[in-house]
Amino acid sequence: MKSLVCLKQVPDTETQIKVKPDGTGIATDGIKYVINPYDEFSVEEALRLKEKFKAGEVQILSVGPDRATEAIRTALAMGADKGIHINDEALNQADPFVIAKALAAAAAQVEYDIIFCGHRAIDDDFGEAGAMVAELLGLPQVTLVTKVEISEDKKSAVMERDIEGGKETVEVPLPCVVTSQKGLNEPRYASLPGIMKAKKKPIDKKSAADLGINAEPKLQARNFTMPAERQAGKRYQDMEPADAAKAVVQALRNEAKVI
Amino acid sequence: MSKVMIYGEIKGGRIKKTAFELASEGRRLADKLGGDLGAVVMGSAGEQFAADLGRYGVDTVYVVEAPELETYNSEYFAQALAKVIIEKKPEIVLISHSMQGKDLAPRTAAKLGVATIADCISFELDGSSLVAKRPMYAGKCYAQWVALGSPQMASARPNVLEVVETPKSGTVEKIAFSADASRATYTTKDLNLDTSGKVDLTEAEIIVSGGRGMGGPDYSLLEEMASVFGPTATVGASRAAVDAGWRTHSDQVGQTGKTVTPNLYVACGISGSIQHLAGMGSSKVIVAVNKDPEAPIFTKADYGIVGDLFKVIPEFNKELKALLAE
């Protein structure tokens, strides 16, 4: 089973995001970067498929600046075989469509039975790349996936996905693009021998020109702002539970007017 | 011709409230641009909602019918929506950032060679350009986005845009469509829907959420509160509770779960990690119940009760029942 895993390096969820004074973006100094959590599920699932079929490979594909190499190495340390790093100044602030074009163009140059993407990256929160890669490659998409069962002949798969208020089970011909959702698996940690081996695994570097894509933007951001600071409101302490409960229920009706 | 077009999502044979949110906002934008508002609905169930959409400002309801459009499928729905957009050439297309919208919008956008400004909370116009505000980093910051391609596509967070009645004709126009079956897609084998009619977290008006302080998988106190609040309320959870296996992952609120904006968020036994606060910090009103007076959740709460949730919540439920029974 050959899997191609699209992966993004994002600020750790612990990060306190700060907007630059001129509002052109976020201040990046001191940020610790990690693999997007939903992409970790993708890496894990791809590794499990390779283990299950006792054949194939797991290839990591990432768009990002120099630092993204660390995220690719981490995935290689988990057990992936090789990486493709699309590193191009023109793509560093790119929108989902441009990123999807780059991912799809790189995918078209390699062999795969299945492509995994996280269902969204937890930095810009667009959640579009997976479906767009699928469309650009003319492949089916199965989004928000929590279970993957590949058929013996590797020509189709049965998957479970989250839908509003429940689950949908679908049958999909391969290759296809899967977007991973929490619940798919529990990602493994990189082992020490894994980390040592990862240092020697190949990472292929690509530019936008290598992929033959233009990076003409479709979206543009401006005026980054911090959320309105919320003030702590009323506190009910050292009170009988019944009195505190009554006071808050009354306040929700009469003051906040939400019930 | 419609200057602005919305996609009206139908679920379980009913049109969703988000369609009226989009229609109301679409009407406002169409008036500013001096044009008509269209709505696209899929399947044979679509036509019956034309009058409803008209009430919220839709001039023309484009009904697309085909056997492939009776059950949601990303490829066929994206084909159909892209076809209407190409034919009617709207300048702005609005979709709901619902579970279905998240699946449909990017595929449709890619067919049209554009991107969607996803999960927007407000819209304005700069000349004829759409300027959309959206949270990033799960709400740790916000930015305004503009679409440089055509059409300008955006998805709106459910439950944020105001619903306003502006009666228009809601005239039905059928759109001929035959699915391109040469494009591979999945087939739906089974739909396992929660029949309790539970509203999704991202669309709930009231969320009662439990964290580590619940001490185990028994959420009956919170389920009870949600049921007293009624059908627009639902139960959520913190990551700690989900990782402990007490609640399913689809209940998780926070940066690696769902970002929510209910009218009322009741946090029970949730300390308030930075990831959780990011995911629920834009709720209109926040109530916190926690026995730790230092819990960070209290810095965001409008009403904070310091106490044992197992003593406070039963009393809260009793008060609530008495009040809502009046």
Side-chain angles (χ1 to χ4, degrees), chain B residues 107-301:
Chain B
R107 194 164 186 112
T108 307
K111 283 183 191 293
L112 300 166
V114 297
T116 304
I117 311 175
D119 198 19
C120 305
I121 56 164
S122 67
F123 299 97
E124 50 188 277
L125 289 169
D126 179 358
S128 61
S129 293
L130 183 69
V131 181
K133 187 175 179 184
R134 61 185 296 274
M136 297 173 72
Y137 303 88
K140 289 176 183 172
C141 73
Y142 290 81
Q144 286 183 332
W145 286 77
V146 289
L148 306 173
S150 178
Q152 305 170 82
M153 276 184 75
S155 66
R157 175 171 293 194
N159 215 14
V160 172
L161 301 174
E162 201 185 340
V163 174
V164 185
E165 289 196 28
T166 314
K168 295 283 171 183
S169 65
T171 309
V172 171
E173 181 179 332
K174 299 249 174 137
I175 303 286
F177 172 75
S178 55
D180 175 1
S182 71
R183 300 277 293 186
T185 187
Y186 59 83
T187 45
T188 298
K189 291 286 164 197
D190 188 35
L191 287 172
N192 186 1
L193 290 172
D194 180 353
T195 48
S196 65
K198 194 181 139 185
V199 58
D200 188 74
L201 273 179
T202 54
E203 298 184 30
E205 288 174 18
I206 297 176
I207 296 173
V208 185
S209 209
R212 202 189 299 275
M214 295 301 292
D218 181 1
Y219 269 52
S220 53
L221 280 175
L222 308 194
E223 303 279 4
E224 185 189 353
M225 193 194 297
S227 81
V228 177
F229 276 128
T232 59
T234 195
V235 173
S238 73
R239 177 174 175 173
V242 171
D243 286 354
W246 302 342
R247 302 295 290 180
T248 164
H249 67 88
S250 59
D251 288 348
Q252 187 184 323
V253 173
Q255 197 172 5
T256 53
K258 290 172 177 161
T259 305
V260 298
T261 42
N263 291 331
L264 174 61
Y265 190 89
V266 185
C268 307
I270 293 175
S271 62
S273 67
I274 181 172
Q275 298 91 336
H276 194 80
L277 296 176
M280 46 64 84
S282 51
S283 304
K284 289 188 190 85
V285 175
I286 296 171
V287 173
V289 183
N290 202 298
K291 60 185 175 191
D292 174 11
E294 303 299 318
I297 189 81
F298 286 124
T299 65
K300 304 283 176 191

Side-chain angles (χ1 to χ4, degrees), chain A residues 38 120 128 143 164 168 255, chain B residues 16 103 116 188 256-257 303:
Chain A
Y38 295 106
R120 68 180 161 90
E128 297 186 59
T143 60
E164 192 186 322
E168 181 180 20
E255 192 177 271
Chain B
K16 291 183 65 179
D103 191 67
T116 304
T188 298
T256 53
Y303 303 99

Side-chain angles (χ1 to χ4, degrees), chain A residues 216-233:
Chain A
E216 183 202 344
K218 299 293 178 185
L219 301 180
Q220 201 170 51
R222 61 189 197 194
N223 292 352
F224 281 72
T225 49
M226 295 300 286
E229 197 56 48
R230 247 194 134 93
Q231 301 297 326

